[in-house]
Amino acid sequence: MTKLKILVIGSGGREHTLVWKLAQSKRVEKIYCAPGNVGMTPLAELVPLKVEDIGEIVRFCQKERIDLVVVGPELPLTLGLVDALEEVGVKAFGPNKQAAELEGSKVFAKDLMTRYRIPTARYEVFNEVQPARDFAREISGPWVVKADGLAAGKGVLICSTLAETEQAIEKILVEKAFGAAGEKVIIEEFLVGEELSLMAFCDGKTVVPMVSAQDHKRVFAGDKGPNTGGMGAYSPAPVATPELCHIVLEQILQPTVQAMAKEGRTFKGVLYAGLMITEQGPRVLEYNVRFGDPETQVILPRLKSDLVEILLAVCTGELEKWAKELGALSAINSKKMWQEEACATVVMASRGYPGTYRTGFEIKGLTEVPKEVLVFHSGTAKQEGKIVTAGGRVLAVTALGGNLRQAVDTAYRGVAKINFTGAHYREDIAYRAFRRC
Ligand code: AMP
Ligand code: GLY
């Protein structure tokens, strides 16, 4: 069995989790992470390259003879990192530039869904203010206004009045608050329901779904305050019954991959469907073309299979063969692939996040967490021998458990041991699941 040198691209909790899971594989010789974070250093060598430095990353892979690159964040995917690596014969996990449009342009994604009858909210696209305003007046609120391109999770504005809606349109189209990402604006129907994330491994033809997860986007308990990258997550999400997962697989995930193939944009990598489960059924809110953060922190600990084998099968177009050998083809939550244990993660963030915040505070107690707690680092650094805060989201404190309650309790026991100046976390992770009990 040949052992591989693997390079992970990115620096957050998602990438730490990827490194941790990859390190368990018998197929791994060495793991690098660019730029990575200090939490990964026992498992991976950090490479000081920016995720958008495509040329430098390609040169590093050639020099070090990297066998497989695993791309975490969306930016390098939309910039064509996978294309550049494949051009020089380096295997890369993730969609190419054309396929990454599914996340890079919401207009592209919405038009694709319309053309292929994939369920999503009704919408219109505008590049001028007046027609956008006129349309908003014609429909009833609340109004959902979205910038077309990548806006670091900030490009969606939910407005409860027409005045707010008009301001949102101006902010995107005139003030260019999101730069070129705001050349077009989408106004769409407001959907009511529970949100759910379903991700799947895809090799362009075959779709192997992952277990479900729900994240917590608002910064404060009870879903109050502004949206963040995600303040915690848990898996499985009770809203994702096996019947619902089948519907999502058959009406959304598989049709999306088939549609992309028909459009000549073969989709390989992780397809992430951000869904609203409405009374009329699941509707796509957004696609992402990569692992979610912090969903990855609760999904990969539940994966029994060797992650390297799955990623290679995706890259070589052999996912169907891999799943058949495992006996998990088209099975939802196959017990051969996934552990039944639940998993929860609590994000510890810097006070002020997602607005401005200070960094450089020493993180204490990391060695005191119970041994069954997994601490994935997001925004941390090493300064004068100490681990300090270096970002908005600092740590994802994670635990498996016989049931969701146990997983959540163990994760919070970990959180209780850790402290840094201004530490903020939500105390209600998984509350929707508990409310259903
Ligand atoms: P997105 O980045 O498109 O997922 O949007 C960010 C968040 O805005 C979602 O997680 C939802 O909470 C909310 N959202 C987006 N689109 C809609 C919609 N059509 N109706 C209701 N909420 C929405
Ligand atoms: N948790 C949402 C995302 O990864 O975009």
Side-chain angles (χ1 to χ4, degrees):
M1 187 200 295
T2 44
K3 294 215 171 196
L4 310 180
K5 287 183 170 181
I6 301 182
L7 170 67
V8 176
I9 303 292
S11 63
R14 163 182 53 206
E15 287 75 19
H16 188 179
T17 314
L18 281 163
V19 164
W20 169 83
K21 188 69 198 173
L22 292 168
Q24 295 167 12
S25 169
K26 289 196 266 315
R27 299 286 313 263
V28 170
E29 178 187 326
K30 179 158 184 178
I31 303 175
Y32 298 87
C33 191
N37 69 48
V38 64
M40 304 170 186
T41 50
L43 303 171
E45 181 176 323
L46 305 190
V47 185
L49 293 176
K50 292 206 190 93
V51 302
E52 63 271 31
D53 280 348
I54 308 288
E56 291 295 317
I57 294 172
V58 171
R59 269 189 288 283
F60 175 82
C61 290
Q62 289 179 302
K63 189 167 128 271
E64 296 298 329
R65 300 184 178 277
I66 298 294
D67 300 293
L68 174 65
V69 178
V70 184
V71 187
E74 61 277 17
L75 182 60
L77 294 169
T78 59
L79 293 176
L81 176 57
V82 169
D83 313 58
L85 288 165
E86 284 179 346
E87 234 163 71
V88 298
V90 178
K91 273 201 191 78
F93 178 84
N96 64 16
K97 185 173 178 173
Q98 285 230 318
E101 273 284 278
L102 207 49
E103 179 167 357
S105 166
K106 289 188 194 289
V107 172
F108 169 78
K110 295 289 295 190
D111 289 350
L112 185 95
M113 287 187 265
T114 308
R115 280 203 303 282
Y116 292 89
R117 298 178 182 277
I118 296 165
T120 187
R122 282 194 298 269
Y123 70 103
E124 290 283 337
V125 180
F126 302 94
N127 52 16
E128 285 173 53
V129 174
Q130 198 52 47
R133 283 179 162 192
D134 294 343
F135 177 70
R137 286 217 180 91
E138 282 167 26
I139 59 171
S140 56
W143 294 262
V144 184
V145 184
K146 298 185 174 183
D148 175 37
L150 291 184
K154 294 182 185 147
V156 175
L157 303 160
I158 312 270
C159 309
S160 50
T161 64
L162 262 178
E164 253 181 71
T165 310
E166 293 186 354
Q167 274 172 10
I169 295 167
E170 294 256 332
K171 186 173 168 182
I172 296 173
L173 285 180
V174 182
E175 293 162 31
K176 295 266 177 248
F178 308 109
E183 265 158 30
K184 290 184 197 154
V185 75
I186 294 172
I187 301 183
E188 76 176 29
E189 172 197 9
F190 180 80
L191 297 176
V192 179
E194 191 167 335
E195 284 185 52
L196 174 70
S197 313
L198 270 185
M199 296 192 273
F201 294 106
C202 312
D203 70 351
K205 310 180 289 282
T206 303
V207 176
V208 173
M210 300 187 210
V211 284
S212 63
Q214 201 165 49
D215 79 353
H216 297 64
K217 288 206 164 96
R218 305 291 199 97
V219 70
F220 299 123
D223 293 326
K224 302 270 164 36
N227 266 333
T228 67
M231 294 299 292
Y234 62 98
S235 171
V239 62
T241 59
E243 297 72 40
L244 180 76
C245 292
H246 266 292
I247 292 173
V248 174
L249 181 64
E250 281 170 11
Q251 295 183 3
I252 293 171
L253 295 169
Q254 282 170 343
T256 304
V257 170
Q258 283 160 7
M260 291 295 277
K262 280 206 188 117
E263 299 280 314
R265 298 175 187 251
T266 304
F267 191 94
K268 288 186 177 190
V270 171
L271 178 63
Y272 168 130
L275 305 166
M276 186 71 88
I277 311 306
T278 71
E279 278 182 2
Q280 291 76 39
R283 302 280 182 269
V284 178
L285 290 177
E286 63 160 349
Y287 291 113
N288 292 325
V289 297
R290 43 150 181 99
F291 285 103
D293 187 342
E295 288 91 336
T296 304
Q297 287 86 317
V298 291
I299 286 181
L300 291 186
R302 298 188 60 207
L303 180 65
K304 280 189 196 163
S305 307
D306 185 325
L307 181 60
V308 175
E309 301 285 356
I310 303 176
L311 303 187
L312 287 175
V314 166
C315 291
T316 55
E318 293 175 310
L319 196 55
E320 182 175 0
K321 185 164 159 252
W322 176 88
K324 271 191 181 150
E325 278 170 15
L326 186 73
L329 189 63
S330 74
I332 303 283
N333 304 356
S334 162
K335 292 194 177 75
K336 295 193 170 132
M337 187 170 173
W338 302 100
Q339 299 201 39
E340 281 189 75
E341 284 198 295
C343 194
T345 191
V346 180
V347 169
M348 297 185 76
S350 299
R351 183 189 296 136
Y353 171 78
T356 53
Y357 53 83
R358 289 173 59 201
T359 58
F361 297 112
E362 184 180 356
I363 305 172
K364 294 187 185 144
L366 284 170
T367 54
E368 286 160 39
V369 298
K371 63 174 187 338
E372 60 274 27
V373 172
L374 299 161
V375 181
F376 296 121
H377 290 223
S378 301
T380 62
K382 201 164 192 174
Q383 250 174 37
E384 294 161 9
K386 293 178 182 151
I387 310 273
V388 299
T389 64
R393 289 192 288 177
V394 177
L395 301 167
V397 184
T398 309
L400 285 160
N403 58 40
L404 198 55
R405 173 59 73 191
Q406 284 171 10
V408 168
D409 287 350
T410 310
Y412 278 113
R413 273 194 280 124
V415 169
K417 295 285 179 197
I418 301 171
N419 64 76
F420 53 87
T421 304
H424 163 70
Y425 58 90
R426 277 183 60 162
E427 293 184 1
D428 64 343
I429 296 307
Y431 81 92
R432 281 182 199 277
F434 298 140
R435 208 169 52 186
R436 285 171 167 258
C437 299

